[in-house]
Amino acid sequence: MSVKQIAVFIENKKGRLAEVTRYIADHNVNLRALSIADNQDFGILRIICEDPVAANGILREGGYITTVTDVLAAAISDKPGSLAQILEVLSEAGVMIEYTYAFLSAKGGAYMIFRVDDNQSAAAALAGAGIKTVDQEELF
Amino acid sequence: MGKYYQPEIECASAEELRKIQSEKLVKQVKRVYENVAYYRRLMEEKGVRPEDIRSVEDLHKLPFLTKADLRDAYPYGLLGTDLKNCVRIQSTSGTTGRRVVAFYTQADVELWEDCCARAIMAAGGTQEDVCQVAYGYGLFTGGPGLNGGSHKVGCLTLPMSSGNTERQIQFIQDLQATILCCTPSYAAYIGETMNEMGIGPGENTLKAGIFGAEPWTEEMRRNIEASLGIKAYDIYGLTETTGPGVAFECQEQTGMHINEDHFLPEIIDPETGEALPEGSKGELVFTNLDKEGFPLIRYRTRDICILSRKQCSCGRTLIKMSKPMGRSDDMMIIRGVNVFPSQIETVLIREGYSVNYLIEVDRKNNVDTLDVSVELTPDQFTDTVKELTEKEKALANAMKTMLGINPRVHLVAPKSIARSEGKAVRVIDKRKLHD
């Protein structure tokens, strides 16, 4: 149960983010979720979209450096403590989290995206605690 | 083993070589003084007369020639004989706006080709060999030099010139080429292309390659040797002196034997011009002992290297030069340390990075700064900042080990560093703007 995320390398310079998002838009790719991480030289734009294989191809054709990663999308309920509960489950299972960001499905429902060191044990631990992880099809 | 083109010279004793060099030098200086007004004037300015030069010991008394002199004297000012005695010119690319035109008499062509023949035999070449020359032919010295040398050895010569890689590979396979002569970057490309076509290193007849005309590293040598299944030999030369074959590698691969019976080498301090003892690192200077058409005396090559007369297992006694470690005009002094772009390039190749890089030197709060931007390749990209930042740090550490000073490394997007048709701009020294 995982979702494909595309990461794009962008230089930390004025206009680069606008440039890549314009490129994505011009090729009719609809972004569902994104997050950006950066240091002083570069940023990494991470995106979730409906057809990651096609979108990745389009980005590479445009000369962008990309990588596709399997990440977990965990359903989260709209009440205090939901995120804390997920993080506790993962922590108890000994799963390391590289990064996380939030995401709203078009069908309704909120999700947290997790990039972890071990997708399988993370998914199993969450399932054991009654927390649902979804795959690509269920999101769109 | 044991195959020399001119053993009486290549294996002569140090005393014999010195005697030959001294006799030739005395005659050459006299001839140049008489025939080359430009150099006569330089000698007069320095107060040196031909009779002051009695042996190689007196070489240091003579004035230098530099690339600037070649430009001032262009095209005929350094001609050493009547134009009617010349049979050929060769020329450099002139990408830096400083085109060199060198003149050759028939005797000059013969000695140049002899030097290339020595190089081919040192790489194991005999008349049984098929020698594919994939250096450019024309004004560039690479093709004509190795072509002539290959004839002298008696190899079957394939005068391919550069380019058309599929045809190169077809000729290697169909005509069973055994020796490949070209630039190292072209050899690497031919090797990669052959491997991509499914022709492995053991599936061709090549046994040796003679590669030169541009700087290359030991890593590149290993890659070429692995992809083509050959032994790769370095060859050195410059159009000003003659072309390829000024120095060549033997099977020991620990430096290049200089054909010092024709090209008398010296190492000098690039700052002071003072001649340095054997084993010192400094700028390589050549005196043409025999050339008639373009007889340069004490020509400063700008190449930084070390000379060594250590005994060589190949039996040759000709002095050896190290691979040039950089060019004195490329040398940067950063925080008091001498830094060459080639050192940074070596680290990039070793660490698996692209050699599209840009060095920026600046001075902030009276401290020199060194920033190196390097293009990221797709297979090095990961989705976490942590891993990429670690890669930047690892690269900076590797450079620190090589250079002795700490650079800041920046990973940048592919193709974001400007490409140039000729020589790439690799260094921007902003300090000059403030001085």
Side-chain angles (χ1 to χ4, degrees), chain B residues 7 29 35 44 82 167 182 410:
Chain B
V29 170
N35 295 344
E44 281 163 1
D82 275 356
R167 190 177 65 189
C182 60
H410 312 278

Side-chain angles (χ1 to χ4, degrees), chain B residues 384-426:
Chain B
T384 69
V385 171
K386 187 175 75 185
E387 282 178 75
L388 285 185
T389 307
E390 276 165 9
K391 281 180 200 250
E392 283 185 329
K393 279 189 195 150
L395 196 49
N397 283 338
M399 286 183 192
K400 192 189 172 199
T401 307
M402 170 71 94
L403 306 174
I405 58 165
N406 222 339
R408 276 195 308 243
V409 170
H410 312 278
L411 294 176
V412 300
K415 299 194 174 63
S416 63
I417 294 172
R419 304 292 199 276
S420 115
E421 289 292 310
K423 288 185 177 173
V425 176
R426 298 280 186 222

Side-chain angles (χ1 to χ4, degrees), chain A residues 6 42 47 61 79 85 98 128:
Chain A
I6 306 168
F42 56 80
I47 58 183
E61 269 170 39
K79 61 181 188 207
Q85 188 205 349
E98 291 286 349

Side-chain angles (χ1 to χ4, degrees), chain B residues 84-99:
Chain B
K84 69 168 195 270
N85 298 327
C86 296
V87 298
R88 170 110 58 94
I89 66 151
Q90 302 287 163
S91 180
T92 60
S93 61
T95 43
T96 53
R98 292 182 286 185
R99 180 181 293 283

